[in-house]
Amino acid sequence: MRSRWAERIEDIQPFHVMAVLARARELEAVGEDVIHMEIGEPDFATPIPIIQAGQRALADGCTGYTPALGLFELREAIAGLYRQRHGLDIDPRRVIVTPGGSAALLLVSALLVNPGQQVVMADPSYPCNRNFLRLVEGRALMLPTSAENGWQLTPEQLQRHWNADCRAVLAASPANPTGTLMGREQLAGLASTVSRLGGELIVDEIYHGLTYGCDAVSALEVNDDIFVLNSFSKYFGMTGWRLGWLIAPEAAVAELEKLAQNLYICAPHMAQRAALAAFTEQTREICEARREAFRQRRDFLLPALRELGMHIPHVPEGAFYLYADSSGVADDSAALCRHLIETRHLAITPGLDFGEHRTRQHLRFAYTTGIDRLEQAVERLRLGLQQYAC
């Protein structure tokens, strides 16, 4: 039957971490204890005030459609978050509520990209982004990045590789899988270069709020005429509620609304009502306590991995990942991941999920579990590496 599928299906790659997760679930089903450091989903449940708001929404009958752009009350609250965090006066009418951050990127891809056009992004970067482009018959132009530049694109790279097919640049700060941020000067340089080249800038800020020892700069602080994606999944712990948002230039909103109406009608009504509780002081206190817990986990895991031979040159300032060069202990990170899940029941993401540039020499560790489990994970990793080397 494969001859009947669309050609794009062959080009869309599987999410390799999901294969690791599936094997972990199989092991757990037969009673094995697996330590999860593979998927980007923290062990914290959604904060209680949000859950309670969702329960009230269901009890109140909030189970029908909302406007395609989202509840205006929620759009106002999101605009208020930018005022509080960044001192920005964002018109709520520019805020588009989406079913997860993924839907926000799908909207932007459909809006901007014609068949055959390219969107420039860093290699390594989050894998689903390039697959969204293939879905709209576009292509990702993956530019190799390095630890020396914080695994981020530079204006010089864009200038060197830009071509007639390039339509936009997609950057992320904090980034997945590296956890690195772009500062104000970096963002300003990127934005001015993209504008000069005649492209559009899209910035993924989904891990905003989860930074350690610093605050993330929003790209909207340096250029208001860009597209910014965010989500309730990470900082607010609402992964399964499927709720995100997009800040778009005013001129793009009507067209994005048309796309939303046709692609998914609206984001879940109950989830939107629940998300209003994300902006309360009680929820903020919970989320800030969790941010401190993530910082403690990072500060434990980073030196422990380095002691085991993983090369991590910089301390990542955001998200909840460590992107480690494993070439000093293994010549193929994917093979090492298979070895660790089978022999030590330790689930880690192979670097090949995130691109092609030296990805077989890297692993992504998610510190999304408690320090007691991270201590066990480090011991399992130590034993697994000893066995792998034999």
Side-chain angles (χ1 to χ4, degrees), residues 132-152:
F132 276 128
L133 293 174
R134 182 63 185 90
L135 194 63
V136 298
E137 302 300 330
R139 292 179 293 145
L141 177 57
M142 306 287 289
L143 299 185
T145 57
S146 66
E148 288 70 29
N149 290 319
W151 302 106
Q152 297 284 1

Side-chain angles (χ1 to χ4, degrees), residues 15-25 28 34-41 176 320-321 337 341 346-350 353-354 364-368:
F15 205 175
H16 295 284
V17 69
M18 300 313 293
V20 177
L21 177 61
R23 181 56 181 150
R25 297 301 188 212
E28 288 174 326
V34 177
I35 299 178
H36 292 274
M37 302 181 72
E38 76 282 37
I39 55 174
E41 183 168 37
N176 177 8
F320 36 63
Y321 307 113
C337 282
I341 189 66
L346 178 60
I348 300 167
T349 306
D353 246 347
F354 305 105
R364 189 192 73 176
F365 294 83
Y367 46 93
T368 49

Side-chain angles (χ1 to χ4, degrees), residues 19-20 22-27 30 32-35 334-348 380 384 387-388:
V20 177
R23 181 56 181 150
R25 297 301 188 212
E26 290 174 354
L27 291 166
V30 295
E32 300 293 352
D33 175 41
V34 177
I35 299 178
L336 178 57
C337 282
R338 290 192 294 271
H339 168 74
L340 291 171
I341 189 66
E342 296 298 338
T343 65
R344 294 296 160 186
H345 302 155
L346 178 60
I348 300 167
R380 292 188 191 188
Q387 186 180 13
Y388 188 78

Side-chain angles (χ1 to χ4, degrees), residues 269-286:
H269 189 171
M270 177 268 294
Q272 293 188 61
R273 288 290 176 191
L276 288 167
F279 304 102
T280 64
E281 182 63 24
Q282 185 180 4
T283 299
R284 192 192 71 81
E285 290 175 358
I286 294 169

Side-chain angles (χ1 to χ4, degrees), residues 200-214:
E200 302 286 347
L201 180 60
I202 311 161
V203 182
D204 172 351
E205 297 183 350
I206 283 172
Y207 290 93
H208 266 221
L210 291 176
T211 57
Y212 316 108
C214 63

